[in-house]
Amino acid sequence: MTTEPHSFPRRHARTQRFTLGAPRSFTVAPDGSRVVFLRSGSGTDRANSLWVLDTEEGGERVAADPRALLGGASEDLSPEERARRERSREGGAGIVGYATDTAVELASFALSGRLFAAELRAGTARELPAPGPVIDPRPSPDGRYVAYVAQGALRVVGAEGEGDRALAEPESENVSYGLAEFIAAEEMGRSRGFWWAPESDRLLMAGVDDTPVRRWWIADPAHPEREPQRVPYPAAGTGNAEVRLFVIGLDGLRTEVVWDRARYPYLAHVHWSAAGAPLLLVQARDQRSQLILAVDPDTGATRMVHADEDRTWLDLFPGVPCWSPSGQLVRIADEGGARVLAVGERPLTGAQLHVRAVLDVSAHDVLVSASAGAEAAGEAETGQVHVYRVNELGVERVSQEPGVHAAVRAGDVTVLVSATLNRPGSRVQVLRDGKPTRTVPSYAEDPGMSPRVTLTEGGARRVPCAVLMPRDYDGDTPLPVLMDPYGGPHGQRVVAAHNAHLTSQWFADQGFAVVVADGRGTPGRSPAWEKAIHHDFTLSLDDQVDALEDLAKRHPLDLSRVAIRGWSYGGWLAGLAVLRRPDVFHAGIAGAPVTDWSLYDTHYTERYLGTPAEHPQSYAKSSLVTAEGLSSPAGPHRPLMIVHGLADDNVVVAHALRLSSALLAAGRPHEVLPLSGVTHITPQEQVAENLLLLQVDFLKRSLGIATA
């Protein structure tokens, strides 16, 4: 299938959803003189360079250009690096990540498996001799060394390239040092496996043994001559990797950090700063209890700093736990029905804020990301996320305009990244003492369209919703409806940001009223809202239906022609909708759906459903492939398109194949679209483009809509 070169699907795919060319990954020097960031050269250029902004003079310079450093050669990524990028959903190229010393004068990064360092004041970069392929290089705080991982070994080299040596080497093919295991990177938000001491004389190092993890095979049927990839996958109810932690000196001498790993096997977070002893956050496997531990780096002994318990589950949050400069524990907790920021033992926020992340901690305040709490939220605040300064004197909002905001801060300089409904992309401002002084330019392409979106609420539970109508629609004629949800944990889709609604708007322009609904289980409202789906994912479908029926009272929606599409959790939700509620949904597109939750990973699935052995009914009710999953009230069998990447190592293609087999056995109509060589994300330009076009064709055929 082809289309004109400048169609929205082609531009959307070529620009990676209009993100290429936008500045990202900011680091602010402690003295506020420099802001370091990544940015590619245009809205269609995938290769990021490392940039430095002089906050005083305002000038920018390139500190490292990947094309120059590689001499024009193409990148060669190791399987380990490809896996890391898949875990972080990284679709870019060139320099996709970097780390700096404390002074933000030296940066290190891997490029095509080789090790590079950049002098950020001088704007020069050099390659350091190192055995590869190099993964996750990080300078010591004093800038004298760079530690990195190669072939499962944690290594260190001098910043000038001298004295490269292994600190810890794997004893077997199942062991690695200095890397995050699959579920830490995929589900816990921990993408790294080593941490420098503030004094630069030793490191904390994770050791991972994935021998207990079951092996799965991922093949490419389009290339039968290739061997299948053998991957460890910790499916729900099965063995996890064993994770240990060591203090290791630059001489290679190691001391194991001791805690009750049998009771708390998950190493969820590590923090090591000059403000106190190293901090660990360790979780029980059922994620209903966790400990914050302080480590004695000389002996490896730990002492409990704080303990949490929750009868449903305990969430993990970016940036915490950590020490404040004065040595107080900073954490985010669910207390009194609200998600609060606590410093020491004192909550500094209440029901007015739903705290999402800690962005920076200074001697005077804590910078957080938060949305309006359940008691303070209203339709006017739907989809907004703001940056706040919090201390014992109160709360001050840093971001002002309605939208979705994030920030990075050091000293008196803050980099504020702001997306709004009325402006494409994101605007990046450099604030000094809270006042804008510079703007970091974006080279991202203008989408050439603006969503015609209404943010509202639907149903008795006030489900946050976005309603999009065709841009040329001026009448009252009811339109066929396309529900376009994610609908599950960690996936807020109803946001007050322009580019978040571009694909939905394109579908609307094909003749649909598009509805995006964030029901129970999605983030951003309250702990109770997020935890309502405990042991029952199907509440997500109930909220889609309730929101749809309520919105139809206020918007011209044709409820006799309703379709639903989604990816991942949203794909599962789309499949569930047409199988369980054919009275409401007349067609569905399930992209990379989790059809059998016993095939999904431990840390995610067991948090919500428990283990398959202990809670078989929770799995059966939420499954699409069991008899219960395929059962529905008497009614027609609705058409379903199943789309899945054959190289997906997160939601493996077995999910789609098992669903297709179950549907075939039950005599239910469906189509299967296999994507050869595609993982859980679809970075391939032609695949991403044609996938959108094929979905529209399927929806119009299924709903009986004439194609122009």
Side-chain angles (χ1 to χ4, degrees):
M1 181 175 290
T2 60
T3 185
E4 61 275 16
H6 300 295
S7 69
F8 173 82
R10 172 62 61 90
R11 294 182 65 226
H12 184 260
R14 181 169 294 173
T15 62
Q16 293 192 355
R17 304 173 304 281
F18 302 96
T19 61
L20 298 180
R24 61 172 207 168
S25 305
F26 299 94
T27 303
V28 181
D31 62 3
S33 64
R34 293 175 306 286
V35 173
V36 186
F37 60 96
L38 300 177
R39 183 178 58 198
S40 64
S42 74
T44 56
D45 181 8
R46 293 179 60 237
N48 290 287
S49 295
L50 185 66
W51 292 77
V52 178
L53 168 69
D54 185 319
T55 60
E56 298 292 343
E57 302 297 329
E60 293 180 356
R61 63 181 181 276
V62 177
D65 179 344
R67 293 182 176 88
L69 293 173
L70 294 180
S74 59
E75 290 185 65
D76 180 19
L77 302 181
S78 67
E80 293 84 359
E81 178 62 22
R82 292 184 187 278
R84 276 173 54 84
R85 296 189 184 194
E86 181 70 19
R87 301 284 72 77
S88 62
R89 309 299 188 260
E90 173 60 66
I95 305 169
V96 299
Y98 69 95
T100 72
D101 61 353
T102 299
V104 191
E105 295 184 351
L106 179 74
S108 64
F109 53 91
L111 189 58
S112 199
R114 294 152 58 184
L115 176 59
F116 292 88
E119 298 288 350
L120 298 175
R121 287 187 182 272
T124 59
R126 62 186 182 276
E127 183 173 3
L128 302 181
V134 169
I135 297 175
D136 195 26
R138 294 179 177 272
S140 58
D142 63 8
R144 294 176 57 198
Y145 306 99
V146 177
Y148 64 97
V149 178
Q151 298 178 350
L154 179 63
R155 304 183 67 91
V156 67
V157 63
E160 300 297 328
E162 76 284 1
D164 183 272
R165 59 198 182 277
L167 300 183
E169 296 184 275
E171 295 82 5
S172 73
E173 64 177 1
N174 295 336
V175 174
S176 66
Y177 290 104
L179 293 177
E181 74 276 19
F182 175 92
I183 55 171
E186 182 69 42
E187 308 297 0
M188 300 182 202
R190 178 171 66 78
S191 61
R192 54 192 294 197
F194 68 89
W195 300 263
W196 278 101
E199 300 81 12
S200 303
D201 59 342
R202 48 190 169 180
L203 305 95
L204 278 169
M205 173 188 70
V208 175
D209 183 350
D210 62 20
T211 301
V213 182
R214 285 184 181 175
R215 265 44 180 182
W216 285 2
W217 299 89
I218 297 178
D220 186 352
H223 293 277
E225 75 281 5
R226 296 178 184 172
E227 288 191 3
Q229 182 184 3
R230 184 171 181 258
V231 298
Y233 192 93
T238 69
N240 278 314
E242 293 183 359
V243 180
R244 300 162 69 189
L245 193 67
F246 303 90
V247 179
I248 190 163
L250 297 183
D251 55 4
L253 293 177
R254 68 175 82 168
T255 302
E256 183 165 2
V257 177
V258 179
W259 77 92
D260 185 355
R261 290 193 296 114
R263 177 73 180 90
Y264 300 96
Y266 288 138
L267 177 63
H269 183 80
V270 177
H271 167 80
W272 200 352
S273 71
L279 282 178
L280 314 180
L281 174 60
V282 295
Q283 280 191 326
R285 177 150 178 171
D286 65 9
Q287 299 172 63
R288 295 184 183 186
S289 62
Q290 64 186 25
L291 302 178
I292 299 174
L293 304 173
V295 179
D296 182 337
D298 294 324
T299 67
T302 57
R303 62 178 174 85
M304 189 179 72
V305 178
H306 185 84
D308 286 302
E309 291 189 359
D310 191 284
R311 60 187 178 89
T312 50
W313 71 74
L314 290 157
D315 276 305
L316 302 173
F317 308 103
V320 288
C322 65
W323 296 119
S324 72
S326 63
Q328 289 187 294
L329 181 67
V330 180
R331 59 188 178 90
I332 296 172
D334 294 346
E335 296 181 1
R339 182 152 296 156
V340 302
L341 171 73
V343 177
E345 291 301 318
R346 178 182 175 187
L348 296 187
T349 61
Q352 79 276 19
L353 287 186
H354 184 73
V355 179
R356 295 165 173 255
V358 166
L359 308 175
D360 182 57
V361 182
S362 75
H364 308 291
D365 58 35
V366 180
L367 198 69
V368 303
S369 168
S371 46
E375 294 183 11
E379 196 168 85
E381 288 79 29
T382 298
Q384 294 193 47
V385 181
H386 285 280
V387 176
Y388 297 85
R389 292 176 58 238
V390 181
N391 58 27
E392 294 184 351
L393 299 178
V395 176
E396 175 189 357
R397 201 166 92 181
V398 175
S399 50
Q400 296 303 318
E401 57 184 342
V404 177
H405 306 267
V408 175
R409 184 181 71 172
D412 61 356
V413 170
T414 301
V415 176
L416 182 66
V417 183
S418 302
T420 66
L421 278 175
N422 58 9
R423 184 177 60 237
S426 296
R427 182 174 66 185
V428 180
Q429 294 177 291
V430 179
L431 314 180
R432 189 177 289 275
D433 293 325
K435 299 176 181 177
T437 60
R438 307 286 177 196
T439 299
V440 181
S442 173
Y443 302 153
E445 285 198 5
D446 190 313
M449 61 186 287
S450 292
R452 181 175 173 175
V453 58
T454 301
L455 299 185
T456 183
E457 296 176 341
R461 283 180 287 273
R462 297 170 40 235
V463 173
C465 296
V467 180
L468 298 99
M469 307 300 282
R471 286 174 295 161
D472 60 357
Y473 178 74
D474 293 317
D476 297 322
T477 304
L479 294 174
V481 183
L482 175 61
M483 302 292 287
D484 191 14
Y486 179 79
H490 315 296
Q492 184 176 3
R493 287 282 316 281
V494 180
V495 291
H498 180 283
N499 284 23
H501 302 287
L502 290 175
T503 303
S504 296
Q505 183 61 56
W506 181 77
F507 275 101
D509 289 343
Q510 312 312 305
F512 297 92
V514 177
V515 174
V516 183
D518 281 347
R520 285 169 291 177
T522 58
R525 174 164 285 188
S526 71
W529 179 267
E530 295 179 12
K531 296 176 182 180
I533 60 170
H534 195 221
H535 291 311
D536 188 2
F537 280 152
T538 67
L539 295 181
S540 302
L541 177 59
D542 297 341
D543 287 355
Q544 296 292 316
V545 174
D546 291 348
L548 170 66
E549 293 176 345
D550 184 50
L551 291 172
K553 301 173 184 176
R554 293 172 275 141
H555 299 274
L557 308 182
D558 180 358
L559 296 187
S560 69
R561 295 182 294 174
V562 178
I564 183 170
R565 68 180 285 269
W567 196 266
S568 197
Y569 190 98
W572 165 81
L573 186 53
L576 188 77
V578 297
L579 295 175
R580 302 278 180 92
R581 295 300 305 269
D583 56 319
V584 175
F585 297 96
H586 308 93
I589 299 172
V594 181
T595 65
D596 180 351
W597 287 99
S598 67
L599 291 180
Y600 201 58
D601 73 53
T602 52
H603 193 269
Y604 181 99
T605 316
E606 293 171 10
R607 179 191 310 138
Y608 306 116
L609 299 181
T611 63
E614 293 177 348
H615 299 279
Q617 282 307 112
S618 296
Y619 281 78
K621 185 174 184 179
S622 297
S623 172
L624 302 185
V625 299
T626 61
E628 184 174 354
L630 290 171
S631 66
S632 65
H637 293 172
R638 302 301 190 184
L640 175 65
M641 173 187 275
I642 306 166
V643 185
H644 217 121
L646 299 181
D648 196 334
D649 68 350
N650 178 22
V651 183
V652 295
V653 73
H655 287 274
L657 297 177
R658 290 188 181 188
L659 176 58
S660 178
S661 295
L663 291 172
L664 186 63
R668 289 179 174 267
H670 66 285
E671 302 176 17
V672 178
L673 181 60
L675 305 177
S676 179
V678 172
T679 61
H680 201 56
I681 55 177
T682 53
Q684 296 90 335
E685 183 178 313
Q686 283 188 311
V687 171
E689 173 193 14
N690 289 329
L691 188 53
L692 287 177
L693 298 172
L694 287 168
Q695 288 180 67
V696 168
D697 177 70
F698 171 82
L699 292 171
K700 289 188 173 183
R701 282 191 287 114
S702 300
L703 296 181
I705 301 171
T707 302

